Amino acid sequence: MSITKCASTTIEALLSNQKGLFIAGTPGLKHTTYKLFEAHILPLLEAKKIPRPHFFAITREPAERLLSWYKYRQRDRIVNAKEGSSKSDNYAGNLTFEEYAEGALSIRPDKMFKFKPQRAFLVDQSQKVAVETLIRVEHVDDLLPHLFRHYRIAWPDTVERRNISPTFKGAKMTDELRKRINESDTFITDYELYRGSTSTKQELLATLKPREKHRRAKPV
């Protein structure tokens, strides 16, 4: 499940040559929530007698994800957007990160400070997290190869990072601000989700389904 600002473009590229159903491309498709998958895709798989797949997602510390959104909303595409358009309304280039964080932590944040919580991508209709494997983004290089190998997916010799946000002036975060963001009412749920995500190989393997053995066809 592809959570926004959580290495989704890089992982999408790693999986793009695999056989099967591939939902990607435009953000509205790539970042499909589990609820939508549950409502529309799982019934299709069931109708085709395909077992429920193993779901995984990458999580990120809320403060770092907020910083990534801040950088994303300083792009040239937004700077050059027509004044009064929805894109220009999201431009954060005239703010420091501390000012942007204050906007996100306000009681009624404006549109430019709002984005979907990580948990919203992962819960089912009963509001329970339905994704089996959650990996912290800083452990992707260590843990994702084990998940891929478990399901017989080749891991490349080198991984090309995609959609990396550039560094901007004012994009600094103090330890005090980091703690305040992570423990705020706005982000505490995502922070707990992130802290509960796997960070070791042993934790990862415990979340995986036993791999099915391929049976050889009997001779006719």
Side-chain angles (χ1 to χ4, degrees):
M1 305 309 297
S2 178
I3 300 174
T4 54
K5 313 311 293 178
C6 289
S8 55
T9 305
T10 298
I11 295 172
E12 177 185 70
L14 289 171
L15 292 170
S16 61
N17 63 346
Q18 299 301 311
K19 294 181 180 179
L21 183 65
F22 192 65
I23 303 175
T26 61
L29 290 175
K30 179 169 72 172
H31 300 299
T32 297
T33 64
Y34 183 87
K35 281 184 181 180
L36 284 174
F37 202 96
E38 181 182 35
H40 301 287
I41 308 301
L42 286 182
L44 172 64
L45 298 182
E46 185 178 356
K48 296 297 182 180
K49 301 188 184 307
I50 298 173
R52 181 185 181 280
H54 182 90
F55 287 84
F56 79 97
I58 309 302
T59 63
R60 192 170 191 173
E61 181 189 11
E64 286 294 331
R65 185 168 178 249
L66 181 64
L67 179 60
S68 182
W69 272 114
Y70 168 71
K71 294 177 180 179
Y72 181 77
R73 288 177 172 165
Q74 296 187 47
R75 296 167 301 157
D76 290 341
R77 189 183 302 177
I78 297 180
V79 174
N80 299 326
K82 184 177 180 181
E83 186 176 354
S85 68
S86 59
K87 287 183 179 179
S88 68
D89 290 342
N90 286 332
Y91 179 58
N94 57 341
L95 302 174
T96 65
F97 175 64
E98 185 172 358
E99 291 170 332
Y100 186 79
E102 290 295 339
L105 294 173
S106 62
I107 297 175
R108 294 181 180 177
D110 292 337
K111 180 182 176 182
M112 68 179 295
F113 303 114
K114 295 170 66 176
F115 47 89
K116 188 175 293 186
Q118 296 178 68
R119 197 174 188 280
F121 290 90
L122 310 176
V123 296
D124 59 17
Q125 298 296 333
S126 65
Q127 299 302 314
K128 293 182 180 179
V129 174
V131 175
E132 290 88 353
T133 301
L134 301 176
I135 300 174
R136 296 183 192 180
V137 70
E138 61 266 30
H139 295 296
V140 162
D141 288 340
D142 295 330
L143 300 185
L144 204 58
H146 296 295
L147 186 147
F148 274 38
R149 281 195 289 270
H150 183 84
Y151 290 106
R152 298 186 177 90
I153 299 172
W155 184 260
D157 294 332
T158 58
V159 176
E160 180 185 354
R161 303 298 177 191
R162 305 288 185 94
N163 198 27
I164 299 175
S165 299
T167 300
F168 294 96
K169 293 180 180 179
K172 294 182 179 180
M173 178 163 43
T174 64
D175 291 341
E176 181 182 358
L177 181 57
R178 181 186 300 275
K179 185 174 187 295
R180 185 165 162 243
I181 293 169
N182 288 334
E183 297 180 1
S184 67
D185 291 342
T186 303
F187 296 109
I188 186 62
T189 301
D190 273 359
Y191 185 54
E192 291 173 349
L193 180 81
Y194 162 79
R195 290 188 64 188
S197 301
T198 57
S199 57
T200 67
K201 178 182 176 181
Q202 290 72 22
E203 291 174 347
L204 171 74
L205 295 178
T207 69
L208 304 181
K209 297 178 182 178
R211 192 166 58 188
E212 294 183 0
K213 294 181 179 179
H214 292 281
R215 298 179 180 177
R216 293 184 180 180
K218 294 181 179 180
V220 177

